[in-house]
Amino acid sequence: MAAGRERGAGERGAGERRSGGRGGGGRSLGEHAIGLDTLVRLQRRRPAPDRGHRLSLPDGMTAPLGCDAVAVPDRLGPLVVPKLPRVGCVYTDGSHWWWIVPSDSDYALPWPSPARYATGALVTGTARLIHRPEGTAPYTPPIPLYLALCRVTGTAPDWSRAVSA
């Protein structure tokens, strides 16, 4: 294209083909553009995923720091409990134990596998309370829980791993 000259609306450069849709400049004939309106309509038609339900706190408990939950397979639960200085509310659904922790306890902290972090303490299925702590705070301290899970899973805590350049 000559310097200082812009292409007009009807002109095409070398290698460009006209596509049938709006905004299709430069696409081959086999590609289709989907507009934002179409994507929004398709999203609204999708069935809502089952987000589960929030673990309910026992009467008299308050959660001023919000609630998230950490789940581990039920075989690991009894191994973790003796390693904790304080055990908050613990639930079971038959296959996992769920500990209530303050919201955002996953910030910059990758929980060791096979632990699962549930924002908002949302779980699928039914879970029943198996441990209620004294007082009104439902929380298990997240750092001791993290360290206990690292120990029983044989995982080095994230901050103790070597950093590669």
Side-chain angles (χ1 to χ4, degrees):
M1 183 177 292
R5 180 174 174 252
E6 293 184 24
R7 224 181 291 165
E11 298 178 50
R12 289 188 302 274
E16 289 183 291
R17 295 184 202 143
R18 183 180 302 273
S19 76
R22 292 188 338 222
R27 289 192 186 96
S28 67
L29 292 175
E31 293 181 29
H32 297 284
I34 295 177
L36 184 58
D37 290 340
T38 302
L39 291 172
V40 169
R41 275 194 310 275
L42 289 172
Q43 178 66 26
R44 288 182 182 159
R45 287 184 192 163
R46 289 180 55 198
D50 180 17
R51 295 187 181 244
H53 64 282
R54 187 176 307 274
L55 291 172
S56 59
L57 297 179
D59 290 338
M61 294 230 148
T62 60
L65 302 175
C67 281
D68 288 345
V70 176
V72 297
D74 61 352
R75 64 182 163 74
L76 297 178
L79 302 174
V80 170
V81 171
K83 295 176 179 6
L84 296 172
R86 179 185 193 283
V87 179
C89 288
V90 182
Y91 300 80
T92 184
D93 63 8
S95 61
H96 292 88
W97 282 27
W98 298 85
W99 278 270
I100 297 293
V101 294
S103 290
D104 300 322
S105 293
D106 63 335
Y107 180 76
L109 189 65
W111 289 82
S113 183
R116 290 190 326 211
Y117 193 87
T119 302
L122 293 174
V123 300
T124 55
T126 358
R128 64 183 174 81
L129 183 68
I130 58 173
H131 182 267
R132 179 193 169 134
E134 296 288 323
T136 61
Y139 306 119
T140 296
I143 298 300
L145 178 59
Y146 173 81
L147 292 171
L149 288 171
C150 284
R151 177 169 274 179
V152 301
T153 61
T155 305
D158 194 57
W159 56 78
S160 69
R161 295 184 190 141
V163 177
S164 61

